[in-house]
Amino acid sequence: SDYYATTALLPDGRLERVKLEDYQGSFVLLLFYPGDFTDLAKGEILAFAESSERFTANQCQVILHTKFEEMYGTLFDLFLDSWMFKDSEQTHVEWTTSDSDKEHGLQRTLPFPLLADHAQVLTRKFDCLDSNQGTAKHAFLLLDPNGAIKHKQIGDNNVAFDVEDALSTLISSKLPVFDENALEGRDN
């Protein structure tokens, strides 16, 4: 439904509204990462980007979701109910294209969408909200072609997810489930 639609920075540099239903029919690895311009995010995202063809070969779309934060700037801003947003669509564009922060910036486009989920609807939908912080947890979810969760992993904000582990999880999720009752000659 459109309720779960959010703006994403696409690989071709366009900003467009997307929804998970757009990817129905293929596996989706939804990666919630700590935030743009962080060391962990840069290393983790670049590792997944370098392996993007391996995910594609396994009929899996990788989608990135930042740990969106809403922060008040000053007490005056609090009084005016004025919000400053971190990791908006514009921040994603700056992070992927700018040379201004060579240490933390990516300076390259990515082969998968980066979501900007201001309303945290996906974070809440998949129960990944850290209620103490008001942000998404560092997590990855593997959704099957029908959108059902096949795997959910919550991680520490200081430890990147391993690409090989994510690929192994994807591949094992595609294996048929063993049903011992289906064996020939088996008495029930």
Side-chain angles (χ1 to χ4, degrees):
S1 78
D2 282 347
Y3 178 73
Y4 295 112
T6 187
T7 304
L9 174 61
L10 301 178
D12 64 6
R14 289 181 300 121
L15 292 171
E16 188 173 292
R17 295 221 17 109
V18 298
K19 51 190 178 225
L20 288 180
E21 290 84 3
D22 296 340
Y23 302 99
Q24 223 166 6
S26 66
F27 280 82
V28 171
L29 181 97
L30 186 58
L31 178 65
F32 292 82
Y33 66 97
D36 296 349
F37 296 101
T38 63
D39 290 330
L40 177 68
K42 182 176 182 176
E44 183 173 60
I45 302 312
L46 290 177
F48 276 87
E50 289 170 8
S51 296
S52 67
E53 290 178 5
R54 295 172 66 197
F55 285 97
T56 302
N58 281 286
Q59 295 81 41
C60 182
Q61 172 66 53
V62 176
I63 301 175
L64 304 178
H65 184 295
T66 187
K67 286 179 54 173
F68 179 74
E69 296 180 32
E70 298 175 323
M71 302 179 296
Y72 288 108
T74 64
L75 190 55
F76 183 45
D77 288 335
L78 178 64
F79 176 76
L80 293 176
D81 199 25
S82 174
W83 295 92
M84 293 190 316
F85 295 107
K86 179 180 177 198
D87 294 351
S88 65
E89 304 91 337
Q90 291 74 28
T91 307
H92 290 333
V93 170
E94 179 72 16
W95 187 46
T96 57
T97 61
S98 175
D99 290 333
S100 63
D101 186 349
K102 293 197 185 296
E103 183 179 350
H104 297 13
L106 292 179
Q107 294 93 36
R108 63 174 280 193
T109 58
L110 295 172
F112 29 69
L114 278 81
L115 302 181
D117 183 16
H118 300 297
Q120 297 179 328
V121 291
L122 292 177
T123 305
R124 293 172 195 277
K125 174 183 173 83
F126 294 115
D127 194 24
C128 287
L129 181 67
D130 181 338
S131 57
N132 292 328
Q133 299 294 318
T135 64
K137 299 172 184 173
H138 185 209
F140 89 78
L141 285 84
L142 181 64
L143 308 178
D144 73 8
N146 297 317
I149 298 172
K150 296 295 282 184
H151 180 82
K152 179 178 179 181
Q153 185 172 341
I154 307 294
D156 185 282
N157 281 334
N158 299 313
V159 179
F161 288 115
D162 184 73
V163 173
E164 295 303 320
D165 288 347
L167 280 162
S168 293
T169 301
L170 169 63
I171 292 166
S172 65
S173 293
K174 297 169 89 176
L175 296 173
V177 176
F178 177 72
D179 181 4
E180 64 182 78
N181 294 324
L183 294 175
E184 284 187 328
R186 175 97 176 169
D187 292 330
N188 289 358

